[in-house]
Amino acid sequence: MPSYTVTVATGSQWFAGTDDYVYLTLQGTDGCSERHLLDKPFYNDFERGAVDSYDVTVEEDLGEIQLIKIEKRKYWYQDDWYLKYITVKTPVGDYLEFPCYRWITDEKEVVLRDGRAKLPRDDKTQILKQHRRKELESRQKMYRWKEWHPGFPLSIDAHSHSELPRDIQFDNEKGIDFILNYTKAMENLYVNRFMHMFQSSWSDFADFERIFVRISNTISEYVMQHWREDFMFGYQFLNGCNPVLIRRCTEIPKKLPVTMDMVECSLERNLTLEEEVKQGNIFIVDYELLDGVDANRTDPCTIQYLAAPICLLYKNLEKKIVPIAIQLGQKPGPDNPIFLPSDATYDWLLAKIWVRSSDFHIHQTVTHLLRTHLVSEVFSIAMFRQLPAVHPLFKLLVPHMRFTIAINTKAREQLICECGLFDKANATGGGGHVQMVQKAMKDLTYSSLCFPEEIKAKGMDSKEDIPYYFYRDDGIKVWEAIKSFAEDVIHIYYESDEVVCEDVELQAFVKDIYVYGMRGVKASGFPKMIRTRETLAEYLTVIMFTTSAQHAAVNFGQYDWCSWIPNAPPTMRCPPPTEKGTVTIEQIVESLPDRGRSCWHLGAVWALSQFQDKELFLGMYPDEHFVEKPVKEAMAKFRKNLDEIVSAITERNKNKKLPYYYLSPDRIPNSVAV
């Protein structure tokens, strides 16, 4: 009788063992074998991280193995079992790999195909077509779309992390408990001792140092020492944690009536302001999105304020970007003066602080939340709904969706919900952040997620003109490496553009993203269909880059740039000044966050800047969803390209007082998971 050798690999996850009955069924082209018992209680097989082998004898030749089924039946109590993969050695000596990388919960069964990736057109037998269809039908029942707020991208239909399908939950829910993590962060930073003075003001800037944690040779300490300088202010628009807003100014807007007399002392080329604009030396950052957003009203004891500044910047002869004019409101007038570097020291300093506070709000809610977290969740849900595990694009994308739906669900549960943690310290809490996302949706376009295209659209693409824009330089290198990898995989499975057009699962995936994620808004520019391999490569690059590199660039620098609170105030407690010559140091300190909100803010930026335990970085694929040699060669090439980028960034950063490393591939997690 034919004999098969079956090897079962169990994961090292939290609840990885099983004391249940486990059965295996092999299904081949010539019929099904009988059900085989692999394990029963007290055998101590399938322990955490174990690899167990079994000889399975069948009564007749099964032909080519098409599917295998694993069943788990409880003995005493239910436990979860994480199955990594199964390999089968056939009677003729062939090895078949069946990737799983899923949880088997309750008394469930999992039906697996071998690891070779297949497009829909590749399935010829009815049994394989049926398995493919049933898998998607099951997934579409589990992964349902839901509107969290009107005007938002749709999200997962789950009220809490525990309601999510087990396969996408965190292994340890405590690891993503925001309340617990923020509290621990404040304890680690020794700032919780200030919480009993929640609404009291600090005495002066030096008083902020009482909660500032010095870590040798970090950016955060450099920021604390140099935050007042115009160079530091301008540098952050290029390489801080929100390096996406600055654009070349092609015309001074009418709502910012800056004159040559105002800025003449800041210009270094003996040119008029108009000539400087024409030569491309003037840049602008406009916080118009904040205009009309309601400030936080959740604490009746503390009135909080927002502003919508416009900031004009100049590239000096050293090619450094420095501010030359700031207007704190959108409508010009006598009560909305234009602040200048030539003004009184505290007038100019407070104007810059207001810009930094506004930048913090845009960063947290638009750059970070909307344009990485929420967009990545859309990609994740669509992938689970429309791409079966055997599809090559599922295998390519699934590492970049790890824990994304889970972290977003937990955020809606604890962080950005009504009365959530976001309300405690942020002036855009209490509903302002919702208004911001709704307004920002009109600018969420497909082209704006195409990294090189967006950089060029802002006029920021010239290395010669703007030599210190490391976010751009490193981002383009990583984008090109990801795109090259995507192209290699595409050409393995799609021999022509016609094959792309005929892939009904791919087209359903793309349509789901457009219809549900982008709410069917034509102006978003998101494609409804992919017709060429070239377009598909760009589309996959958008997904992989957004979920990995873009999130890393705007997330992991938060402690570096925002822990010195005067450089990134999460709220302001006095309104913006309406005239010049009246600002005092006391007024500035009184405007800045009180002691309690400062502590919450510090705990938040610390916790959000930490990598997950056992983080998987770009190019790391321990779960072997692909088994084919050409794809593994493409992965090796991808890792080589990433290693070269790491080396180049490391070399550039040597001896720099302000190293830029957020887009170094060895610091880019595969997915949005924090």
Side-chain angles (χ1 to χ4, degrees):
M1 291 188 292
S3 179
Y4 296 80
T5 301
V6 176
T7 302
V8 182
T10 295
S12 58
Q13 277 77 353
W14 190 249
F15 297 109
T18 179
D19 283 318
D20 299 335
Y21 293 96
V22 176
Y23 297 90
L24 170 77
T25 302
L26 300 175
Q27 189 163 0
T29 50
D30 296 336
C32 294
S33 77
E34 68 275 12
R35 195 169 175 233
H36 289 270
L37 176 66
L38 291 188
D39 183 49
K40 60 184 179 180
F42 313 118
Y43 265 38
N44 294 322
D45 283 356
F46 306 144
E47 293 296 316
R48 189 178 301 184
V51 177
D52 301 292
S53 292
Y54 307 88
D55 290 326
V56 175
T57 301
V58 297
E59 294 183 358
E60 57 183 323
D61 185 13
L62 300 174
E64 182 181 348
I65 299 297
Q66 304 241 302
L67 302 170
I68 62 174
K69 179 166 69 174
I70 291 285
E71 303 169 71
K72 184 169 76 73
R73 301 292 178 235
K74 75 173 182 178
Y75 169 68
W76 187 253
Y77 62 91
Q78 300 286 6
D79 62 353
D80 296 343
W81 175 36
Y82 189 81
L83 174 60
K84 291 175 64 177
Y85 62 82
I86 294 176
T87 63
V88 176
K89 182 183 178 183
T90 68
V92 296
D94 294 334
Y95 280 91
L96 300 175
E97 298 179 50
F98 294 82
C100 182
Y101 303 105
R102 280 186 265 169
W103 289 94
I104 302 178
T105 61
D106 302 327
E107 292 194 292
K108 298 290 178 64
E109 61 183 42
V110 171
V111 182
L112 303 174
R113 291 183 57 160
D114 78 82
R116 293 170 295 177
K118 301 290 184 182
L119 297 174
R121 71 170 196 158
D122 298 327
D123 285 344
K124 306 303 182 184
T125 66
Q126 197 59 37
I127 187 173
L128 294 180
K129 292 178 180 179
Q130 185 181 37
H131 175 262
R132 197 173 195 122
R133 186 179 68 252
K134 282 186 174 181
E135 181 183 2
L136 288 181
E137 288 173 353
S138 173
R139 292 241 213 96
Q140 287 164 12
K141 291 176 182 176
M142 288 192 293
Y143 296 86
R144 302 174 305 276
W145 296 102
K146 182 181 178 181
E147 181 181 73
W148 189 56
H149 279 294
F152 273 51
L154 294 194
S155 52
I156 196 73
D157 184 7
H159 293 96
S160 65
H161 178 267
S162 60
E163 292 182 11
L164 295 173
R166 184 67 183 91
D167 286 329
I168 61 169
Q169 292 182 25
F170 277 91
D171 300 330
N172 179 8
E173 190 175 348
K174 287 184 179 179
I176 55 157
D177 188 303
F178 287 104
I179 297 172
L180 184 64
N181 288 347
Y182 285 18
T183 304
K184 283 184 177 178
M186 286 189 283
E187 289 175 359
N188 292 337
L189 297 169
Y190 303 105
V191 298
N192 53 345
R193 66 190 186 279
F194 295 102
M195 290 301 289
H196 69 282
M197 302 180 287
F198 194 85
Q199 289 170 324
S200 61
S201 297
W202 302 95
S203 302
D204 51 31
F205 289 133
D207 207 13
F208 279 98
E209 293 189 45
R210 294 178 65 189
I211 68 164
F212 183 79
V213 177
R214 286 179 174 79
I215 304 172
S216 181
N217 298 321
T218 62
I219 291 173
S220 58
E221 190 165 347
Y222 192 90
V223 171
M224 182 195 71
Q225 295 166 349
H226 299 277
W227 71 281
R228 300 189 194 209
E229 299 169 15
D230 287 353
F231 159 74
M232 175 59 75
F233 180 87
Y235 180 87
Q236 292 179 74
F237 289 114
L238 299 177
N239 300 310
C241 58
N242 194 30
V244 303
L245 297 184
I246 190 169
R247 61 173 60 244
R248 199 182 295 270
C249 182
T250 56
E251 182 181 7
I252 303 295
K254 292 181 180 179
K255 63 182 180 179
L256 181 65
V258 176
T259 65
M260 179 63 183
D261 289 342
M262 291 179 182
V263 298
E264 186 174 9
C265 63
S266 297
L267 307 181
E268 299 180 353
R269 294 180 175 84
N270 295 319
L271 301 173
T272 66
L273 179 60
E274 289 72 20
E275 289 169 337
E276 294 277 18
V277 170
K278 287 180 182 177
Q279 290 204 4
N281 298 322
I282 304 296
F283 300 82
I284 192 167
V285 180
D286 190 347
Y287 296 92
E288 183 180 12
L289 186 108
L290 282 164
D291 193 32
V293 171
D294 295 329
N296 195 335
R297 296 287 184 267
T298 60
D299 180 2
C301 298
T302 302
I303 300 176
Q304 301 177 59
Y305 296 91
L306 294 169
I310 309 170
C311 182
L312 209 62
L313 300 116
Y314 177 62
K315 183 183 70 178
N316 63 22
L317 290 175
E318 294 179 320
K319 293 190 175 181
K320 294 178 179 178
I321 304 293
V322 292
I324 59 172
I326 294 172
Q327 182 176 283
L328 296 180
Q330 292 288 308
K331 296 178 182 177
D335 60 348
N336 187 20
I338 297 175
F339 292 92
L340 308 165
S342 55
D343 289 340
T345 299
Y346 292 136
D347 282 4
W348 181 235
L349 182 60
L350 182 56
K352 289 192 293 181
I353 289 173
W354 267 105
V355 172
R356 294 298 312 138
S357 182
S358 301
D359 195 79
F360 175 81
H361 296 309
I362 296 289
H363 165 260
Q364 288 288 7
T365 302
V366 179
T367 307
H368 184 206
L369 173 63
L370 172 62
R371 297 181 69 88
T372 63
H373 277 261
L374 299 185
V375 168
S376 296
E377 183 175 1
V378 166
F379 298 148
S380 297
I381 299 170
M383 181 198 73
F384 282 113
R385 285 175 54 82
Q386 303 299 349
L387 299 177
V390 72
H391 198 291
L393 299 189
F394 178 90
K395 294 172 180 284
L396 177 68
L397 295 178
V398 70
H400 301 286
M401 309 304 170
R402 180 175 178 256
F403 299 147
T404 297
I405 298 174
I407 195 70
N408 285 4
T409 302
K410 199 69 176 181
R412 286 187 288 269
E413 195 179 346
Q414 291 185 329
L415 186 62
I416 56 176
C417 57
E418 188 175 352
C419 302
L421 290 176
F422 196 82
D423 293 353
K424 287 186 178 295
N426 295 288
T428 50
H433 59 303
V434 173
Q435 296 173 0
M436 290 173 68
V437 169
Q438 291 167 334
K439 293 175 73 172
M441 278 294 288
K442 65 179 173 55
D443 297 320
L444 179 58
T445 61
Y446 177 74
S447 63
S448 73
L449 297 179
C450 295
F451 189 85
E453 192 174 335
E454 177 68 354
I455 293 288
K456 188 172 184 179
K458 286 183 164 70
M460 301 295 293
D461 52 315
S462 172
K463 283 190 178 184
E464 184 179 352
D465 282 353
I466 316 163
Y468 305 113
Y469 199 12
F470 305 128
Y471 163 74
R472 170 203 60 204
D473 300 341
D474 298 351
I476 286 176
K477 288 179 182 176
V478 174
W479 171 276
E480 289 174 348
I482 292 174
K483 188 174 183 183
S484 176
F485 176 46
E487 288 171 341
D488 288 344
V489 174
I490 287 167
H491 281 81
I492 292 169
Y493 297 102
Y494 295 91
E495 62 196 44
S496 66
D497 292 344
E498 288 74 22
V499 179
V500 172
C501 291
E502 293 167 2
D503 185 348
V504 293
E505 290 167 351
L506 162 63
Q507 304 306 339
F509 169 64
V510 171
K511 186 177 179 181
D512 244 30
I513 290 171
Y514 172 73
V515 171
Y516 296 104
M518 298 306 117
R519 310 300 295 268
V521 177
K522 189 175 181 180
S524 72
F526 271 77
K528 302 176 188 177
M529 182 178 181
I530 301 289
R531 292 182 170 84
T532 68
R533 292 187 292 180
E534 181 181 1
T535 307
L536 178 57
E538 181 186 71
Y539 194 83
L540 296 174
T541 306
V542 164
I543 294 173
M544 291 190 285
F545 185 88
T546 301
T547 57
S548 59
Q550 187 60 28
H551 179 256
V554 303
N555 181 72
F556 293 104
Q558 291 190 69
Y559 185 80
D560 287 349
W561 295 99
C562 303
S563 58
W564 179 244
I565 289 166
N567 187 61
T571 188
M572 297 290 276
R573 297 179 298 145
C574 295
T578 56
E579 56 182 328
K580 296 186 180 185
T582 63
V583 179
T584 63
I585 182 65
E586 290 78 17
Q587 182 182 343
I588 293 177
V589 173
E590 192 65 31
S591 296
L592 290 169
D594 55 38
R595 294 170 190 262
R597 288 180 175 83
S598 296
C599 295
W600 272 111
H601 169 80
L602 202 58
V605 298
W606 172 272
L608 291 171
S609 299
Q610 307 307 305
F611 294 121
Q612 287 284 344
D613 290 340
K614 301 178 182 177
E615 188 67 86
L616 297 177
F617 296 98
L618 199 58
M620 294 171 60
Y621 301 114
D623 292 357
E624 296 189 47
H625 292 277
F626 283 109
V627 301
E628 297 96 319
K629 185 178 178 181
V631 186
K632 292 187 175 182
E633 290 172 348
M635 286 178 173
K637 174 187 167 187
F638 182 40
R639 282 190 289 270
K640 182 174 181 294
N641 290 340
L642 295 176
D643 288 342
E644 290 173 358
I645 296 171
V646 171
S647 297
I649 292 173
T650 302
E651 183 64 29
R652 181 197 64 207
N653 283 337
K654 278 184 179 177
N655 303 318
K656 275 192 179 295
K657 293 179 180 178
L658 280 175
Y660 186 82
Y661 44 70
Y662 308 115
L663 282 169
S664 183
D666 59 343
R667 291 172 176 255
I668 299 175
N670 267 332
S671 62
V672 177
V674 66

